[in-house]
Structure formats: structure tokens, C-alpha cells
Amino acid sequence: MSENSDKTTTADDLQSQALFYHRYPRAGKLEIQAIKPLGNQRDLALAYSPGVGAPCLAIHENPGDAAKYTSRSNLVAVVSNGTAVLGLGNIGPLASKPVMEGKAVLFKKFAGVDVFDIEIDAPTIDEMVSTVAALEPTFGGINLEDIKAPECFEVERILREKMQIPVFHDDQHGTAIIVAAAILNGLELAGKSIENVKIVASGAGAAALACLNLLVSLGAKRENIWVFDIDGLVHPGRETNMDQWKAVYAQESDAHALADHIAGADVFLGLSVAGALKPALLKQMADRPMVLALANPVPEIMPDLARAEREDAMICTGRSDFPNQVNNVLCFPYIFRGALDCGARTINEEMKMAAVRAIAGLAKEEVWEVPRQATGGEPLIFGPDYLIPSPFDPRLILRIAPAVARAAAESGVAERPIEDYEAYFDQLNRFAFRSGLVMKPVFAAAKAAEPKRVIFSDGEDERVMRAAQVLIEEGVSKPILIGRPNVLETRMKRYGLRMRLNEDVEFINPESDSRFREYVDEYLAHVARRGVTPDRARTIVRTNTTVIGALAVKRGDADALLCGVEGRFDRHLRDISDIIGKRENVRDFSSLGLLISNRGATFFADTHVTFCPTAEEIAETTIQSANAVARFGMVPKAALVSHSNFGSRDSESAARMREALAIVRERMPDLEIDGEMQGDAAISEEFRHRAMPNSTLSGEANLLIFPSLDAAHITMSVVQSMLDALHVGPILLGSALPAHILSPSVTSRGIVNMATLAIVEADIAQKDLREAAE
């Protein structure tokens, strides 16, 4: 099959998968959920008639009260007429709906902003303006999307004048904010001042002109900016393809080609077409030039070609497979978050510049482990290949939203200025580590690492096979399935999976494998003095798939093991203990469960291993769990939970928790921890301070340590059911090599989550070994 045929097949597969994704289990990507109870007659009376009259009258008397009594202050309209959709062009409002739903999902996932996507049949400026302006009573903000230029400029201008809520055209300003942050940092590295640099722009559409306008607001001189489009230089007197917004950047010159003006340029800004910047032209640019080649999917110049011509160039693209990706998701959710939270009437230049400086500043901060892993595991230090933060840095909301809210207040456009920024920051911090934002950086880290060989003991299980398919498509793993090849082939066909044995996925046949004798010898080396005879060892290696998987990891034939879809946890743990063993200086295994809900992420230990741990074992579990929490990019806050509240009872279990606290404080003095305390005190700082005003734990605990397995497992399962929380785990702690025991109820998605975590652990372990060897 030709390379073009392969590409066509891949594109067809993606389209088929995308259609399936959007159709099942329910059509679309969004739903509306009630956030107030409606379970009895009183609830009904409060939610609707007659109780609803009270907030209606309050709002009629004071319109500002709509922020108190309705969802308006957290509701944004994503509005499009479908005239300039993605790379699809003018496909109309109805066909644009999947894109607008996707934008709504990003708002919700990254910043907790609710969105109604609104696609309107309004091709003219007047129709757009009249329709959108009439929506003001419903929404706290308007995000204009995929509207063609030049109409988009006029639509936004008029709406900003007519409406008293933020109106933001993300195609323009989102791109501009990230570009400006990258340019400020690049110029700082080059020792240049924005007031003096020469800027050459290829492209004069909405995004390009917004970038230039923002750069001018930051100090760039119009006379130093040269703009080119499909008709060449934007210059006075040009009649073709001109408008009032381009005319601002018209420059007098007899030479109208980009090649005639690139000499001495400090910044190339490309928002045009692939190949617009020829490699030879780079040689004419100034020292340490900035090249922002942002055409997608193929930029104006590929980074490898640019680097070959100019090693000193600082390069940004719109692609995720190169450093310095300019991605609008870096800013638009967080700008609206800040604007909504302070009741901003508009998003002005001061707010945009605050976002620019917040993004630029974050790139200079020490990079957390997870964003570092997301970019390949290389040290991320502010420099030419790290001008802007990773989109997966959870601190984006913590830096941008407060900066935007503060700028709104200082510039006089905030109706409800933030009064307590410390409390506001804490509120954002709790959101930043919820749901997908907890696992998303882990997925990014796994994708950035070299693909790891994850071996699945239950390779014939449908959930495992579907998870393996996802891992292959994500490019993060080379799965190894333990299973009979004829069974695997039959089930792949039955489930409609496209992976192929010995091409996309490896397998170990438990009935016949060339390594069988070596595996038996390895197994005997570990268990021969535990009553296992050679004959018994041969039988176990042929029939126990967890043993096979553990042996593969121990021998280096795989990097991580996942087992446990079938069978008892303790039996799988026995096999892992016998073959892989415990990490050096670890007394015993323990386990950690993670629940992710709208409230955030909470870890529970020990949920699966030790029934009644000693104080020493509790302390060891706490320390291992805290280290595991830190690998998620979170600061662990541990609470030793008990029926006793800071000495209120002198039971044996309470005494063990007190002793464990003393041990942890001695061995891990920097850990934020306290106990023993009751469950409500662990979650509520207010309750905790009533019992212990000088508690050494602040805020809400995210790591709960229990005095017994019963308490941990029961609590976690009840909380999971009540909150409909996503469970990640159990995460096995203390293993010498990455290995995890899944629960029989695990879903295919849960397997993907645990495999991704195992991949990151394997990558870290391999890096640690290399560093130790060096």
C-alpha cells in the first residue's frame, strides 16, 4: 500500500471514529444539569411558583442581583454564523454546531464556565449585531467564533459599544494574547526592546491584525511593521483586497514582495499559508530572530528547516509536536473566568495585557514535574524552546484569571471587584485539580515519553483490548497482551478493533511461548524455597497470567504490568510480591485510591492491602501516598482520619494515628499533615479550627489516611457512589517496578487511566536509573 493510501486510510478512520464519538451514547457533547434539589413539593415551590417570584422581584429592583440568584454570572454564549469555520470555510451555522459545542466543552473543562452554543443564520453585520445584542439579559459574556473578516471586526466593535458584558472574538484576541506573550519573552532573551524591533507579518486576517494591534499597545511602532497578504505589501493606494483595518498598517514602498522587506526583521509573524517563508530568507533576518509560523496544519516554515538555516532563531508554531505551541486554550477560558468573576462590563486592553504578562511570567517560573513530562521529560527552563507555558500547566487559571480580574477592577470596568484575592486564589486552586484536569497532565506526560511496553495479564478481556487500542492510537504504549492468538484475533474482529497482532500489539501465548523455559527458571529462582516444585512452577507459569506478566517486567521484556481484571486482589499481590518484590527500604506494599469529582481530587489510603496497620505501617503508607500525590502535580495535604478528634477519645486506633503522625513529622517534616481528626474536620477548615485552632493543616485535605482497610475502602466506595466520582486506582505503592492491580469493576477508560499512570512511572524510573548510572 502506498504512503498516500496509508494517509487516506488514517483520515478515513479518524472521520469514522469522530462520527461515532459525536453520536454515541448520546448525540452531541453537552447536556444541561440541575444544580439545586428538586425532590419534593417544597423544592418545587422554591424552584418555581411561588418561590421564584422572590428572586424575580429582587432582580427587577436591582439588576445586579442577577449575579446572586441566577447562573448568568457564569454563563457565556459561544456565537457563530458559520462563515469562517476552522479550516472548513463558510459552511453555515448548522454545520458549525459541532465546533461550537467543542468550544463549550473547553470552557467547562478548563475553567468551569457554562456555555450555550448559539449558531445563528445571520450572514450580515446588522443581522449579527441585532441578534447577539438581544441576548444580553441571558449571558454574562459573549464569545464570538468563526466569523469571517472583515465583518468580524465591525460586529465586535458595535457589540462592544452596545452591550454591558464582555464581547470577545477569540480568533482575534486569543491568538494575539499568546503571540504577544511569546514575543515579549523572546525579545527579553534576545536583549531587544519592543519599541525598536522590526516586525514582518505574512497574513492580514482577523488574527494577524489583532496580534499587531496588541503588540502596538505593548509598545511596538507602526512604522516598524510591514504587512503582507495574498496581494503583497499592504501599502497606500492599493485597491485590491483592502479595508480600513489593514490600511492602518499601510507602508510606502515601491517593492511589494515579502522578500524585499525581510532583511533586518526581528520578528516574522505568520498567519497565512504553508511555505510562505522560504528558508533562504531567514538568513537576512536580524540576530536571534523570532519566527512565529502559525499556519495550520503546515506552518509557513517547518521548524527543522528554520533551525537548519538559523540556529539562533526562536520558533513558535500552532502545532503540538514542536516547542512553543501557540494554542488559544492557553488563555480564553481563563480570561472569561476572571472577567465573569468580577462582573466585568467588557474585556479591555488592560485586561488583555494583564493576560499577556501572566502567561509570559508563568513561562519563567519553575516548571512542575507534570508539564515537564508533557514536553518530553527534558528540563523546561525559560529559553528559546520554552517561551510560553505548556497548555497542560494547571497554574494557568491561577495566574491569568486573578490578573484579568485585578486589571478589570483597576481600569474601572468591574461591577463586582474581587475583595479577597487570597480566598479567590484558593477557590481557583480547588477547581484546577478536578476531573480531567487531574489526569490530563498525566496523559500529556505519557504521550511525551518514549512509548512504554505495558503488559496486560488479562489480555483476552474486552475492556483490556479496547484500552490497548486507545493506547496505540494515542501513541503512548506498545501494549503486550497475554492471551491465545486465535482468541485475540477472533475478539479483535468481533469488537471491531483495528490493531493487529505482532504489528500494533505484541502478545504472549500462555500455551506456547519460546521464552517459557526461561520464565520457569526465573520463577523458580524466586519461589523455589517456598514449597514450589519445578513441576508446579511449570504449571503456574503456563496458567497464571499475572505470574507471566510479572516475570516479563522483572526480566525487562515489559516496562509495566497491569493485572487484576479477574481474580482476588490479594492473590495478584502475592505474585507481584514474589517476583517483582518491594522497593528498597519499603517495609510493605500499600494502596492508594483516587476519586475525581466536581469537588476536586481526593486520595484515600490504604484501601486494599493491610487490614489493621501498625503506626509504623500507617506512617510509611502516608509518606508513599504523599509522594504519589506530588507526582500528579499537586501539593499533598494529609489528614490522619479517626473517630477521635485531636485526643477526644483514647482508643487503640486513635493512639496508632497519633503515633503515626509523630513518625511522619520526623521523617517528612515538610509534609502538611495533622491528625488524628474526624472526617468533617479533614474536609472543612472551619470545623477543624473549632476543635484545634492551631492545626498544622490548612484548607481541605486531599489525602485521607485511615486506621484500617475497612474504614478506607468503605469510605471511598460510599463517597464514590454519592458523588458519582471517577475512580483511578487502586494505585499500588511500594513495588520495585511499575505494577498495578485493577479492580474487577474497572472500565475500559479506567484501564487507560491506570496504564497511562504506569507509563509515567516507568518513564520516571528509567530516568532515575540513567541518572544513577551517570
Side-chain angles (χ1 to χ4, degrees):
M1 184 179 288
S2 69
E3 182 179 347
N4 287 337
S5 297
D6 286 340
K7 290 179 179 178
T8 301
T9 300
T10 301
D12 290 344
D13 289 341
L14 181 61
Q15 285 189 336
S16 176
Q17 292 171 34
L19 290 173
F20 185 92
Y21 171 86
H22 281 78
R23 184 174 180 181
Y24 299 102
R26 292 167 56 189
K29 297 189 284 282
L30 301 170
E31 68 175 0
I32 297 174
Q33 288 188 339
I35 59 173
K36 298 293 170 65
L38 195 63
N40 53 47
Q41 189 66 35
R42 179 171 178 77
D43 291 342
L44 182 60
L46 292 172
Y48 199 53
S49 180
V52 74
C56 289
L57 292 173
I59 294 168
H60 178 70
E61 187 173 323
N62 178 17
D65 281 353
K68 296 180 181 178
Y69 302 123
T70 75
S71 62
R72 183 175 184 264
S73 62
N74 194 50
L75 187 61
V76 167
V78 172
V79 183
S80 180
N81 65 357
T83 53
V85 179
L86 293 173
L88 304 177
N90 187 354
I91 61 174
L94 182 59
S96 76
K97 187 172 179 63
V99 180
M100 302 310 123
E101 284 189 356
K103 194 68 175 260
V105 169
L106 295 178
F107 266 108
K108 186 66 174 179
K109 286 293 184 182
F110 282 95
V113 175
D114 293 320
V115 166
F116 289 162
D117 63 290
I118 299 179
E119 297 75 32
I120 58 177
D121 186 6
T124 69
I125 291 174
D126 288 344
E127 289 173 317
M128 280 283 291
V129 168
S130 62
T131 303
V132 176
L135 300 174
E136 183 167 356
T138 301
F139 296 98
I142 304 291
N143 185 95
L144 299 174
E145 192 78 14
D146 292 351
I147 303 167
K148 71 183 180 73
E151 288 90 339
C152 61
F153 301 119
E154 194 68 6
V155 168
E156 185 187 40
R157 182 188 66 79
I158 298 173
L159 288 175
R160 283 167 60 91
E161 292 174 356
K162 292 173 71 76
M163 303 180 78
Q164 293 300 302
I165 58 174
V167 178
F168 188 78
H169 186 203
D170 180 50
D171 297 335
Q172 296 181 56
H173 308 300
T175 302
I177 286 166
I178 303 159
V179 164
I183 288 177
L184 286 183
N185 280 345
L187 294 180
E188 179 180 328
L189 288 171
K192 300 176 182 179
S193 169
I194 193 170
E195 291 82 4
N196 302 321
V197 296
K198 178 180 179 180
I199 300 170
V200 173
S202 174
L209 293 176
C211 290
L212 297 175
N213 292 340
L214 187 54
L215 291 174
V216 169
S217 296
L218 290 166
K221 304 298 184 185
R222 292 184 193 273
E223 58 266 28
N224 294 337
I225 299 173
W226 299 79
V227 180
F228 300 83
D229 61 11
I230 194 171
D231 293 306
L233 177 69
V234 174
H235 63 274
R238 196 181 99 172
E239 297 181 357
T240 306
N241 195 22
M242 282 293 288
D243 55 55
Q244 67 189 76
W245 297 279
K246 287 184 189 179
V248 171
Y249 294 99
Q251 289 269 44
E252 288 280 5
S253 176
D254 294 330
H256 295 166
L258 185 147
D260 298 323
H261 295 276
I262 196 71
D266 300 283
V267 177
F268 170 83
L269 174 61
L271 284 151
S272 53
V273 295
L277 181 63
K278 305 304 179 186
L281 296 180
L282 279 172
K283 294 181 179 179
Q284 302 178 38
M285 293 185 71
D287 290 339
R288 304 198 73 181
M290 291 201 67
V291 177
L292 293 96
L294 305 181
N296 258 326
V298 182
E300 285 79 2
I301 186 169
M302 291 297 288
D304 53 343
L305 295 178
R307 190 74 71 195
E309 292 293 335
R310 290 293 297 266
E311 291 185 359
D312 62 338
M314 291 174 277
I315 306 164
C316 301
T317 71
R319 294 170 56 130
S320 61
D321 52 348
F322 293 105
N324 297 322
Q325 182 194 15
V326 175
N327 186 330
N328 286 13
V329 80
L330 272 167
C331 71
F332 73 79
Y334 316 119
I335 289 173
F336 268 98
R337 180 73 279 156
L340 292 170
D341 290 340
C342 70
R345 297 189 297 273
T346 186
I347 295 175
N348 57 24
E349 289 301 301
E350 291 86 349
M351 294 161 73
K352 287 188 281 185
M353 286 191 283
V356 170
R357 294 191 173 98
I359 294 169
L362 182 56
K364 300 174 189 177
E365 294 185 32
E366 182 180 350
V367 177
W368 291 3
E369 177 66 18
V370 172
R372 183 180 72 81
Q373 291 290 328
T375 55
E378 295 299 321
L380 289 180
I381 302 173
F382 176 57
D385 288 332
Y386 190 66
L387 297 171
I388 45 180
S390 163
F392 302 106
D393 196 319
R395 295 171 295 180
L396 284 164
I397 193 172
L398 306 179
R399 301 294 182 271
I400 299 173
V404 168
R406 195 182 296 274
E410 292 175 352
S411 60
V413 299
E415 295 285 354
R416 303 184 305 277
I418 304 295
E419 296 181 359
D420 185 342
Y421 276 93
E422 185 175 343
Y424 181 52
F425 184 85
D426 186 58
Q427 172 188 332
L428 295 174
N429 192 59
R430 289 198 303 272
F431 170 82
F433 296 101
R434 65 163 201 149
S435 193
L437 289 179
V438 176
M439 286 304 301
K440 199 173 185 71
V442 179
F443 278 104
K447 197 164 187 176
E450 286 295 321
K452 296 294 183 290
R453 300 161 301 166
V454 179
I455 189 165
F456 295 89
S457 290
D458 305 287
E460 295 178 358
D461 187 278
E462 178 183 356
R463 294 165 293 174
V464 170
M465 297 177 75
R466 291 192 181 280
Q469 179 75 63
V470 172
L471 294 169
I472 292 167
E473 291 173 354
E474 292 294 321
V476 298
S477 176
K478 299 174 181 176
I480 304 171
L481 303 179
I482 300 178
R484 296 157 292 177
N486 59 324
V487 174
L488 294 173
E489 292 278 12
T490 300
R491 293 185 180 179
M492 285 177 188
K493 185 176 181 179
R494 181 192 307 165
Y495 305 145
L497 302 176
R498 294 179 295 103
M499 59 185 181
R500 297 158 295 181
L501 289 183
N502 287 327
E503 293 185 42
D504 305 308
V505 61
E506 298 179 30
F507 72 95
I508 292 179
N509 182 358
E511 295 179 343
S512 175
D513 190 277
S514 60
R515 293 164 289 190
F516 175 71
R517 182 172 297 177
E518 295 172 359
Y519 276 30
V520 170
D521 290 343
E522 178 80 26
Y523 184 58
L524 274 170
H526 294 286
V527 299
R529 294 186 177 275
R530 298 180 190 174
V532 179
T533 65
D535 286 343
R536 179 61 179 157
R538 281 188 286 272
T539 300
I540 291 173
V541 172
R542 282 192 181 278
T543 59
N544 188 324
T545 56
T546 296
V547 167
I548 296 172
L551 289 168
V553 172
K554 184 70 174 180
R555 286 169 46 84
D557 296 335
D559 300 308
L561 165 67
L562 260 66
C563 61
V565 172
E566 296 179 4
R568 286 169 38 182
F569 184 97
D570 59 328
R571 292 181 178 175
H572 293 292
L573 182 59
R574 175 200 62 199
D575 295 331
I576 291 172
S577 179
D578 286 345
I579 300 165
I580 294 177
K582 295 186 286 290
R583 198 166 57 246
E584 187 177 358
N585 297 324
V586 170
R587 293 166 62 92
D588 198 2
F589 296 96
S590 58
S591 71
L592 184 65
L594 165 61
L595 293 185
I596 305 171
S597 70
N598 287 335
R599 293 193 74 261
T602 307
F603 294 82
F604 299 74
D606 169 14
T607 54
H608 281 78
V609 179
T610 307
F611 284 94
C612 188
T614 65
E616 179 69 33
E617 289 169 331
I618 292 170
E620 183 175 85
T621 293
T622 302
I623 292 169
Q624 290 192 78
S625 298
N627 289 330
V629 172
R631 286 200 293 272
F632 281 81
M634 301 173 63
V635 176
K637 295 188 174 187
L640 298 173
V641 184
S642 170
H643 69 285
S644 173
N645 215 24
F646 301 104
S648 65
R649 300 286 293 274
D650 284 324
S651 66
E652 182 272 336
S653 65
R656 281 190 286 118
M657 300 305 271
R658 289 174 216 152
E659 185 180 348
L661 176 64
I663 297 170
V664 173
R665 282 179 169 167
E666 180 180 350
R667 296 180 184 174
M668 200 175 189
D670 293 335
L671 175 63
E672 190 172 336
I673 185 174
D674 209 345
E676 82 286 10
M677 69 180 74
Q678 294 174 354
D680 54 0
I683 301 302
S684 169
E685 187 173 45
E686 179 183 353
F687 288 173
R688 184 163 60 253
H689 281 177
R690 288 179 190 173
M692 181 57 63
N694 62 346
S695 173
T696 53
L697 178 65
S698 64
E700 181 176 325
N702 57 19
L703 172 57
L704 305 180
I705 308 296
F706 293 84
S708 70
L709 187 151
D710 278 350
H713 196 281
I714 292 169
T715 303
M716 186 183 71
S717 60
V718 169
V719 171
Q720 181 182 3
S721 297
M722 291 179 66
L723 297 182
D724 191 25
L726 170 67
H727 175 231
V728 179
I731 302 167
L732 186 63
L733 304 175
S735 179
L737 296 168
H740 295 288
I741 305 167
L742 304 169
S743 64
S745 62
V746 69
T747 63
S748 178
R749 189 64 193 176
I751 296 172
V752 171
N753 285 339
M754 288 304 299
T756 306
L757 181 61
I759 289 165
V760 174
E761 291 174 345
D763 190 55
I764 293 172
Q766 290 175 8
K767 286 183 172 66
D768 289 343
L769 285 174
R770 286 197 296 268
E771 291 175 4
E774 293 172 358

